[in-house]
Amino acid sequence: MAAASSKKSSRSAKRFLFGIVKVGFFAGVAGLIALVVAVAIAMSSIPSFGELKRDPNGQMIQVRAADGTILVSLGPSYGEWLAYEDIPRTMVDAMVAVEDRRFRMHPGIDPIGIVRGQWRAFQNRGTGRRTEGGSTITQQLARNIFLNNSYTVSRKIREMILALAMERKFSKDEILELYLNKVYFGGGAYGIDAASRKFFGHDAKSLSLAEAAVIAGLVKAPSHYSPTADAEAAISRAGVVLEVMKDAGAITAAEAAAADPRAIKLAPEPRQNSVRYFTDWALPQLETLIDESERPIDVWTTIDLGMQRAADAAIRANTPGGLQGALVSLDRDGAVRAMVGGKDYVSSIYNRATQAQRQPGSAFKLFVYLAALEAGHTPNDTIVDEPISIAGWSPRNSSRRYSGEMTIRTAFTYSVNTVAAKLGQEVGFASVADMARRFGITSPLTAHPSIVLGTNDVRLIDMTRAYAAVARKGIAVTPYGITKVTTENGELLYQHQSDESRVLVAPWVAAQMTDLLQTAVSAGTGRAAQIGRPVAGKTGTTSSNKDGWFLGFSSGLTTGVWMGRDDAKSVGSLQGGAAPARAFASFMKVATARRPVENFETEVTLPEWQLEPDEEAYFGEPDPGMFVDENGNPVTPPEGSLAPEEPGSAPQGEDVTAPQKLDQQWLDDVLGREQRPQRQPAPRPQDGTRQPAVPSQTQRTQPSSRAQEPSRPTQ
């Protein structure tokens, strides 16, 4: 009975085991079929070998100067594509030995490597160390081309399927060719040729055994073992690769001993010169200019390499020790020809030309005088330099003295603070702030009385564009650094268009301002900026000499210079008319050398409302037959008071006392001039003087002490 029960139990166990085997078999067959289907689908989706060769990973950007010279290459860097037969044998052996010793034997995945990886994972459990996946070269290639580096089970499964598919679609040599030309080796280099050129300064066809070992060792951790990041770590890793190659039989012990990684000459890193300040500023603008984010592109910029070198030299030579300096130079239309954001880009990538906000001092008076000129003042108007107090604020002159009556030109030439304060009070401090915003100042401004002395923080590039707009006769200038963007095949993606539609001030206002700026350089605080040709500009020095500025223009080029300490501490000898003005002159002598000399157009016809028609107001004798009341309206004169008839008067018997309409015709009759449909500006005197100015219509309705002063001719 027991025996029968035992036999029955044995048959049940066998049936159960058979059932498990059967289920396992069919599950395995189903899984195999599913795998075959998945691999077949993957094979159909994988591009051809030729397509993979032409498809780089990521976008490469080549930045070019105005003359086409490559300034910098960004993004992935690819060297020459090497066919398998052109790749040095030592490079192939080194890569196979260190990354996938059984590459020639497995079908795309390595079961032994997978088991070894799982065993290592078991050994390292709880240590936080990353699991070794046992990826083959084919799997790494599939991951680099089609997947990402996320460490998940689903990604690993897709990687294996793609590896199997690639092994079916491509030969082993083709896989190695793709791998060695596309894998990332650090330092932005993709492929062995790019890596060889970057790290050793020559192409990959002439790689030595030691150099091949260095490159093969980079794949494991490019950022850690890259020679540009840690040369010692790269050399140490190369020694490990040579030992692995010897163990795998790829090289002999004698060859391993003869290959000395420490004897390798690494190529020096290119010096990161000041042009990187410019590229760091210009390239982020690509996001708003183009939509292309995959194909390699060429970015053509405005930078002039000759001017850039001159700017770099001017800042280095003239900036006092312990200080930083910055320079921006704009062409007429706003093209940035040179930009220096500091004395040394390697030690500090902070761009003081575009990012730093500092007080401009008297350089900000540009906006005070622009507002005053627009309101009706002329350079030869007189104003009194005397103590002044505005809402408890009492500005002082740097000379600590007051010179009494002087012209506006003299006050600007010698940067007299009290006169700037008076003009700011007259036109309104809010008007000064509005003028600054109109000319492109983007930093916050407060309309406090001290605004006239430049107490608000501004950026150098904004101040430079403001001065450039004056040089452009009042037309707005917008700085730009990119002229066009093309693909590697020359397809145009973007082309800059210059905008001349925004007029900030009338041409005569800009001309008068240029007149003042020119005098400041020829005879005033900016004399150190003279370069042997017409220059217009202004100095700026802040309280306690924390900042020194000079901004000016000549021959269509506008340049701004700033100097100071990054921590804004005082510098006793720093003045805008000293080191900054000398740096300006040093740069501009080189920058304008090949440009024609241009005289400034400071003599222009003023608008009609600024012309006092004295020569017309007193033409002929007044008509004694015309009487007006206290409001200026015609009234009937007393009987017997009619004037005798004179040539041009009304005939006897005509009622000349009848009320007349006060219009242009009446005014022309009174002044004895011909009627004109539209009044034209009065002709300029032959001696080059301007007619005296009178207040604008708006000013005439507002009481002003200045409105009672007689007009003075302009010299």
Side-chain angles (χ1 to χ4, degrees), residues 397-418:
N397 296 325
S398 59
S399 64
R400 299 295 190 270
R401 65 176 183 268
Y402 305 97
S403 302
E405 188 176 87
M406 63 176 59
T407 65
I408 283 180
R409 176 182 283 104
T410 300
F412 186 85
T413 300
Y414 297 103
S415 200
V416 179
N417 290 338
T418 56

Side-chain angles (χ1 to χ4, degrees), residues 319-326 341-343 348 350 352 356-359 457 542-549 562-575 580:
T319 304
L323 303 188
Q324 278 290 354
K343 292 169 70 174
S348 174
Y350 181 57
R352 296 156 189 85
Q357 297 187 38
R358 304 296 290 256
Q359 292 184 359
D457 290 339
T542 60
S543 60
S544 303
N545 300 84
K546 296 178 181 179
D547 302 271
W549 299 68
W562 167 88
M563 292 180 185
R565 289 174 58 104
D566 284 338
D567 57 9
K569 289 184 178 180
S570 300
V571 182
S573 60
L574 180 62
Q575 293 182 339

